[in-house]
């Protein structure tokens, strides 16, 4: 193997080792559920799931549109699971922060989950927008699902939910999270997309332990 290739491979190996040894570890004693603003399911459900997502993450989109509706029907709406939503915009993603603010504005009208879903469905439409164009798009999405556009626009313009979004982002960083989606299922961390069958196994196990 040429010496240059050997050096590259060695360098990559050292980088990987450095990430394992010195990368984000997370602070001890943090509760990923504490302070969560948006939830589905009974407050006294035996199993709690915390979902850290990013509105421009394809794997988050896949989960939100193809897996979560089944979880909602079979575990959340039946009282078995309490499902908490948290925002995890990455550094430099001002538009994801704004989309997360918009979802909080939809929550003021009792439609967080519907708007959360439509943000993922429409990600290709707003993902490259910024500023006023982005805000107009987000307000239009609110109108499409029947929200009061005037109240929604005023909420978004006020920026009153921005600090809450940034607090979620900070919590994700403090927990040592490095990717989305990341789920805490009965306190156990799982990073990356999980097919429904894996969710079912994990939730059934957690429910059995909670009995």
């Amino acid at each position: 193997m040429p010496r240059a290739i050997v050096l590259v491979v060695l360098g990559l190996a050292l980088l990987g080792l450095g990430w394992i040894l010195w990368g984000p570890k997370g602070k001890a004693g943090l509760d990923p559920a504490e302070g969560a603003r948006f939830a589905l399911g009974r407050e006294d459900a035996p199993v709690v799931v915390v979902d850290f997502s990013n509105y421009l993450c394809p794997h988050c989109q896949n989960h939100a549109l193809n897996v979560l509706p089944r979880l909602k029907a079979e575990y959340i709406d039946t009282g078995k699971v309490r499902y908490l939503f948290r925002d995890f915009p990455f550094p430099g993603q001002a538009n994801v922060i704004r989309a997360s603010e918009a979802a909080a504005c939809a929550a003021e009208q009792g439609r967080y989950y519907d708007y959360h879903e439509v943000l993922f469905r429409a990600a290709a439409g707003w993902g490259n927008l910024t500023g006023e164009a982005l805000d107009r798009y987000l307000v239009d999405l609110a109108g499409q699902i029947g929200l009061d556009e005037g109240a929604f626009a005023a909420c978004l313009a006020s920026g009153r939910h921005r600090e809450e979004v940034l607090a979620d982002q900070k919590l994700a960083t403090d927990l040592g999270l490095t990717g989305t989606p990341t789920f805490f299922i009965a306190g156990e961390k799982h990073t990356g997309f999980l097919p429904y069958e894996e969710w079912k196994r994990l939730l059934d196990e957690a429910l059995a332990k909670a009995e």
Side-chain angles (χ1 to χ4, degrees):
M1 182 181 294
R3 184 169 181 271
I5 296 176
V6 171
L7 291 174
V8 169
V9 172
L10 179 60
L12 291 173
L14 289 173
L15 281 173
L17 179 60
W19 178 259
I20 292 169
L21 294 176
W22 298 293
K25 298 296 184 185
K27 298 178 181 178
L30 293 177
D31 180 358
E34 185 175 354
R37 296 165 289 142
F38 312 116
L40 294 173
R42 285 173 28 193
E43 290 187 14
D44 62 347
V47 171
V48 175
V49 170
V50 187
D51 171 350
F52 283 84
S53 286
N54 180 303
Y55 284 115
L56 290 183
C57 156
H59 296 302
C60 301
Q61 181 188 60
N62 192 6
H63 172 78
L65 301 183
N66 299 310
V67 176
L68 183 54
R70 294 185 67 182
L71 298 180
K72 185 175 183 297
E74 299 177 31
Y75 288 93
I76 299 169
D77 292 346
T78 55
K80 299 175 183 177
V81 168
R82 175 81 163 167
Y83 195 97
L84 307 179
F85 298 89
R86 311 218 72 149
D87 298 310
F88 189 9
F90 302 142
Q93 286 189 315
N95 54 353
V96 176
I97 293 174
R98 199 61 167 163
S100 301
E101 292 180 67
C105 288
E108 291 189 2
Q109 298 187 43
R111 300 288 299 280
Y112 174 83
Y113 178 67
D114 298 323
Y115 198 83
H116 175 83
E117 186 175 61
V118 82
L119 279 173
F120 280 114
R121 291 193 185 281
W126 63 264
N128 292 318
L129 300 179
T130 59
E132 292 182 5
L134 175 60
D135 282 4
R136 284 195 299 270
Y137 197 101
L138 295 173
V139 171
D140 183 63
L141 283 181
Q144 289 179 31
I145 64 170
L147 299 184
D148 180 329
E149 289 191 29
F152 183 93
C155 171
L156 192 59
S158 75
R160 59 177 170 259
H161 294 294
R162 179 178 175 82
E163 290 305 315
E164 299 163 359
V165 175
L166 296 179
D168 270 11
Q169 182 188 51
K170 182 178 185 303
L171 175 62
T173 301
D174 289 346
L175 286 165
L177 308 190
T178 57
T180 54
T182 293
F183 307 102
F184 289 85
I185 303 172
E188 183 178 332
K189 184 173 76 171
H190 301 266
T191 300
F193 177 79
L194 300 174
Y196 176 78
E197 293 72 22
E198 180 67 4
W199 272 101
K200 180 173 175 57
R201 183 185 70 80
L202 292 168
L203 291 176
D204 288 346
E205 288 179 358
L207 287 164
K209 291 178 182 177
E211 290 181 354

